Amino acid sequence: MRIRSWTTRLAIPLVTVGLIAAGCSSDEEAAPEGAVAALGTTNDINPKDVSELRDGGNLRLAIGALPQNWNALHNDGNDADTGALLRPVMPRAFKTNAAAELSVNTNYFTDVALTGTEPQQVTYTINPKAIWSDGTPITWEDIKSQANALSGADKSFLIANNTGFDRVEKVERGVDDRQAVITFKKHYADWRGQFAGNTFLYPKSVTATPEAFNKSQLDGLTLSSGPFIIQSVDRAQGRVVLGRNPKWWGDTPKLDTFTFSVLDSAALLPALQNNEIDAVGLASRDELKTARNTNGIAIRRAPGNSWSHLTFNGAPGSILADQGVRVAISKAIDRQGIASAIQNGLVENPKPLNNHIFLQGQDGYQDNSLGFDPAAAAKELDALGWKLNGEVREKDGRKLEIRDIMYNQDVWVQMAQIIQQNLAQIGVKLTIETKSGTGFFTDVIAPGNFDVGQWTWVGDPFPLGSLIQIYGYNPNDLQGNYGRIGSPELNDLIERTISELDPKKAIELANQIDRKVFEEGHSLPLMQSPGNVAVRANLANYGAAGLASYDYTKIGFLK
């Protein structure tokens, strides 16, 4: 599943990480040698044995806003900040290493296995020690209840993503209450991601009814299950504290607490310099230079599974409802120019991201884009009846003016200004509008109050699991397709892809989907994160995690 982030400081577990750098730096300092945005197989977290860490301590981090809903399965809870708060406190079935290789998270499950293919069947065997924070056991009924809520059968559950549960026929009790057997009515390729990556397992009390699913977690988590628990939420101060879970059955954490404070983007680096937070993503070349010159700070770097993009609003009646207009505008945006201007100084050879589904360095990545061709874009708009009248095109008395909505951060605005200049060359006027982080998705993007929207997608090791979420179109089931763009043909191709259990064939089909997404003018990927993070030099087992998941019990400060 993909989660959203309004900031260019892209979220990987527990810290927002710089995606792009400002293009108007005061110098032309070269990028670090070997710096690329392509995914790799290593990370940079200052790995240390726990014997070298002191007991206790408080890791201070920043978020952009408090959760709109602490249920990350809900469409209002599907964002990076909420995910950062939940990862140390909620169950997931798999963990990953820096090469994105999966292994069962044995804190919660002793085994997760594909136990049948015709029909497809997956068996989850729950660790007999695994309990919720009130002491009740995690059982097969929690899995069954979540499967039912995410199935899409009852549209009153306002889900962020089906995560394949629309393809499940039934969930049954296994040998005992600690085993669940999931039987599918249709194949699902990314079955490992149903309770992993960006998707957490919730207790049945949260997923049993639409009322509980939609509203029970508005003010905070009612139950959790991890090495940490939510200790306090101070809405007035914009602060969340996680403390050790006294009922935790696994390794004892080294840290006593995590403290998350709500800070504006411009306040992050000063807060690091003033010793108010311990880690921050670096969103510009100047910030990288400043962080390097700050005493006690180390720069850690590993590209992560996150990227910037823009989405078009193709809803009926919108100015971009015509597929041809969206495609023409897509061709007029110089994404290579944006990458060169924005990422210069962070990577050696900046390149745009040319695939919606796979990232550079990931198996399956290929360039399926339509290319930069402003001359063709102008001709296509002419053919569609949008004629130049002065500096802006018109059709039937309506000017081709579009609103570009983004979080109020300098780097987003700089990208938008480049796009604004590109589109002016073909007679399209783009107006830049910035918004605060609070309610950005809930109040602006989800209702469709934009013509073009810029935000970040944060992925996980299960890219096929987000195909329906973002690119499938059902007018009665929004999920993550905020542009309301799609087609029966694309839906059918998505169905074929997620049904394909052969990984190579699934990749081939996924790239057909990607080309179709470009051809529909659905959205444009821009750049993926180079993953620069400034952290306290004495902080261990934390920093630029790359594709790896953290072991929150092992994060701590050196003795």
Side-chain angles (χ1 to χ4, degrees):
M1 183 172 79
R2 293 180 181 177
I3 55 177
R4 319 160 299 195
S5 176
W6 51 78
T7 176
T8 57
R9 303 173 187 276
L10 299 187
I12 58 175
L14 286 182
V15 65
T16 49
V17 177
L19 166 65
I20 58 178
C24 40
S25 174
S26 58
D27 57 44
E28 292 299 324
E29 187 171 320
E33 184 177 355
V36 297
L39 298 178
T41 58
T42 61
N43 59 11
D44 189 3
I45 62 171
N46 190 24
K48 300 292 181 181
D49 188 84
V50 292
S51 64
E52 300 179 59
L53 308 183
R54 58 184 169 92
D55 290 324
N58 174 36
L59 180 56
R60 303 163 300 170
L61 303 170
I63 53 177
L66 294 178
Q68 296 284 304
N69 193 321
W70 291 75
N71 180 2
L73 309 174
H74 188 280
N75 217 353
D76 289 346
N78 180 41
D79 62 67
D81 281 342
T82 303
L85 292 167
L86 294 176
R87 284 188 177 90
V89 304
M90 294 298 287
R92 290 182 292 170
F94 289 93
K95 53 188 178 181
T96 58
N97 63 15
E101 296 167 334
L102 299 172
S103 59
V104 174
N105 188 342
T106 54
N107 284 318
Y108 301 105
F109 298 93
T110 57
D111 188 50
V112 181
L114 181 68
T115 49
T117 56
E118 297 296 341
Q120 183 179 354
Q121 201 168 68
V122 177
T123 301
Y124 286 81
T125 304
I126 301 165
N127 185 333
K129 297 179 181 179
I131 57 174
W132 297 109
S133 52
D134 64 353
T136 58
I138 297 176
T139 75
W140 75 281
E141 291 181 325
D142 297 307
I143 292 175
K144 179 181 179 179
S145 181
Q146 186 157 318
N148 177 69
L150 300 184
S151 69
D154 185 345
K155 301 302 181 185
S156 300
F157 290 92
L158 303 181
I159 64 174
N161 188 354
N162 292 114
T163 58
F165 286 111
D166 56 325
R167 314 173 73 77
V168 167
E169 179 182 347
K170 59 184 177 180
V171 179
E172 298 174 294
R173 182 178 184 269
V175 296
D176 56 25
D177 284 350
R178 296 290 195 156
Q179 189 176 76
V181 181
I182 300 178
T183 302
F184 292 77
K185 56 190 175 185
K186 293 187 288 187
H187 284 166
Y188 184 57
D190 260 348
W191 58 269
R192 294 174 184 85
Q194 291 190 298
F195 300 101
N198 290 325
T199 305
F200 308 97
L201 173 63
Y202 276 79
K204 62 183 178 182
S205 59
V206 174
T207 57
T209 68
E211 178 74 12
F213 187 89
N214 298 332
K215 297 181 179 180
S216 70
Q217 308 299 291
L218 291 176
D219 296 324
L221 284 177
T222 50
L223 290 176
S224 60
S225 179
F228 291 86
I229 59 173
I230 306 295
Q231 183 171 297
S232 64
V233 179
D234 187 333
R235 295 189 176 277
Q237 296 295 320
R239 187 171 296 122
V240 178
V241 178
L242 311 185
R244 289 183 183 178
N245 179 3
K247 294 184 171 66
W248 177 244
W249 57 94
D251 293 340
T252 301
K254 300 303 291 185
L255 291 171
D256 288 324
T257 53
F258 288 91
T259 298
F260 292 85
S261 299
V262 175
L263 294 175
D264 290 333
S265 179
L268 293 175
L269 191 59
L272 184 75
Q273 291 178 292
N274 294 334
N275 197 25
E276 296 167 358
I277 59 175
D278 297 311
V280 65
L282 301 172
S284 76
R285 201 168 28 177
D286 286 340
E287 287 189 355
L288 179 61
K289 183 177 180 180
T290 299
R292 281 174 171 161
N293 293 329
T294 302
N295 289 334
I297 296 299
I299 308 300
R300 298 176 187 165
R301 186 186 179 285
N305 199 349
S306 49
W307 62 99
S308 65
H309 90 299
L310 58 87
T311 280
F312 297 107
N313 186 348
S318 68
I319 195 165
L320 298 180
D322 187 330
Q323 173 191 3
V325 174
R326 299 192 302 269
V327 169
I329 288 175
S330 297
K331 292 179 180 178
I333 296 173
D334 183 4
R335 295 181 303 117
Q336 178 61 62
I338 294 171
S340 298
I342 300 297
Q343 285 197 332
N344 183 36
L346 289 188
V347 299
E348 287 185 328
N349 184 23
K351 295 179 181 179
L353 180 62
N354 291 312
N355 198 298
H356 292 85
I357 301 167
F358 303 109
L359 299 184
Q360 296 175 47
Q362 190 173 28
D363 190 19
Y365 180 81
Q366 65 183 47
D367 183 350
N368 294 314
S369 65
L370 302 180
F372 173 55
D373 193 342
K379 290 179 181 178
E380 289 169 15
L381 290 175
D382 283 337
L384 291 167
W386 288 96
K387 303 294 186 179
L388 273 175
N389 183 2
E391 295 183 349
V392 181
R393 293 178 180 270
E394 289 186 3
K395 180 179 180 181
D396 300 330
R398 190 180 191 185
K399 291 183 179 294
L400 191 47
E401 299 179 351
I402 58 179
R403 299 163 52 243
D404 187 2
I405 307 299
M406 69 213 68
Y407 173 62
N408 187 14
Q409 184 182 4
D410 288 347
V411 187
W412 277 129
V413 173
Q414 289 160 8
M415 278 196 291
Q417 288 171 339
I418 296 172
I419 296 171
Q420 186 180 57
Q421 294 165 8
N422 292 159
L423 296 186
Q425 299 301 311
I426 63 164
V428 178
K429 182 178 180 180
L430 182 137
T431 302
I432 298 170
E433 291 187 22
T434 60
K435 304 289 183 182
S436 67
T438 301
F440 180 81
F441 292 107
T442 304
D443 301 332
V444 181
I445 298 301
N449 186 18
F450 66 95
D451 297 319
V452 178
Q454 296 178 200
W455 66 86
T456 291
W457 284 119
V458 183
D460 61 19
F462 313 102
L464 304 187
S466 60
L467 294 179
I468 290 178
Q469 176 194 9
I470 301 173
Y471 309 114
Y473 183 57
N474 179 346
N476 299 316
D477 189 9
L478 177 64
Q479 297 193 36
N481 190 344
Y482 302 117
R484 295 153 172 87
I485 296 168
S487 66
E489 294 78 14
L490 183 54
N491 286 352
D492 290 344
L493 190 54
I494 291 172
E495 169 64 27
R496 289 174 55 200
T497 304
I498 61 178
S499 297
E500 180 55 67
L501 297 183
D502 183 320
K504 290 185 178 180
K505 293 180 180 178
I507 286 174
E508 292 175 3
L509 290 168
N511 275 303
Q512 293 179 35
I513 291 172
D514 182 52
R515 178 67 180 188
K516 184 69 174 173
V517 170
F518 277 111
E519 291 172 346
E520 289 195 350
H522 177 284
S523 53
L524 273 182
L526 296 174
M527 293 159 289
Q528 64 193 74
S529 169
N532 297 287
V533 189
V535 302
R536 299 283 157 209
N538 65 339
L539 180 60
N541 300 321
Y542 185 82
L547 298 177
S549 51
Y550 282 117
D551 184 338
Y552 300 106
T553 68
K554 291 181 171 56
I555 298 171
F557 294 94
L558 296 173
K559 292 179 178 177

